[in-house]
């Protein structure tokens, strides 16, 4: 039996177009995933291990790992504490007009 090729991106886009609730939930989750991805990049850029970051924030390494695997979404306070430990801060900026 041959494999069936499918485009996950296409399936997600079709579901977003046909289901407003899915679209809302999907779009909201992308912002969270993007922020967590940025946090991971910053940790690696600073050459810091999850264990070192956890120690600086008063967390266990497992907490940082769960956040990075997107199994746990941190509160704004926790996220700000992590960024602070990495030497960064969270800011709000106006979106650029398209």
């Amino acid at each position: 039996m041959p494999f069936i090729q499918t485009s996950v991106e296409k399936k997600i886009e079709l579901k977003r177009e046909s289901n407003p609730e899915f679209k809302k939930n999907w779009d909201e989750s992308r912002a969270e995933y993007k922020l967590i991805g940025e946090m991971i990049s910053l940790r690696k850029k600073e050459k810091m291990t999850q264990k070192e970051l956890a120690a600086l924030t008063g967390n266990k390494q497992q907490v940082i790992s769960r956040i990075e695997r997107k199994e746990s979404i941190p509160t704004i306070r926790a996220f700000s504490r992590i960024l602070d430990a990495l030497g960064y801060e969270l800011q709000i900026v106006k979106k650029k007009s398209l």
Side-chain angles (χ1 to χ4, degrees):
M1 176 177 218
F3 288 104
I4 299 172
Q5 237 180 345
T6 186
S7 168
V8 174
E9 292 85 8
K10 183 78 170 168
K11 287 187 179 268
I12 291 169
E13 193 54 39
L14 289 172
K15 182 120 182 185
R16 284 180 73 243
E17 290 171 2
S18 65
N19 185 331
E21 186 176 347
F22 177 84
K23 180 183 183 329
K24 179 181 178 281
N25 291 334
W26 178 263
D27 292 348
E28 287 174 356
S29 71
R30 297 302 93 201
E32 293 169 350
Y33 282 15
K34 184 177 177 184
L35 284 173
I36 292 170
E38 290 291 325
M39 182 199 79
I40 295 167
S41 295
L42 293 173
R43 178 181 64 76
K44 291 179 179 181
K45 178 181 174 185
E46 298 299 324
K47 296 178 175 52
M48 190 178 297
T49 66
Q50 288 180 349
K51 188 174 182 175
E52 291 168 332
L53 180 57
L56 288 172
T57 60
N59 289 306
K60 294 182 178 182
Q61 180 272 330
Q62 292 88 343
V63 171
I64 303 299
S65 176
R66 277 189 226 114
I67 292 169
E68 290 191 2
R69 289 191 321 257
K70 299 166 184 84
E71 293 175 358
S72 173
I73 303 299
T75 63
I76 295 289
R77 178 179 290 165
F79 193 72
S80 293
R81 200 174 306 136
I82 290 168
L83 291 178
D84 186 57
L86 292 168
Y88 294 84
E89 65 182 14
L90 188 59
Q91 292 186 1
I92 298 172
V93 295
K94 185 165 176 67
K95 289 182 178 182
K96 295 178 183 173
S97 298
L98 295 177

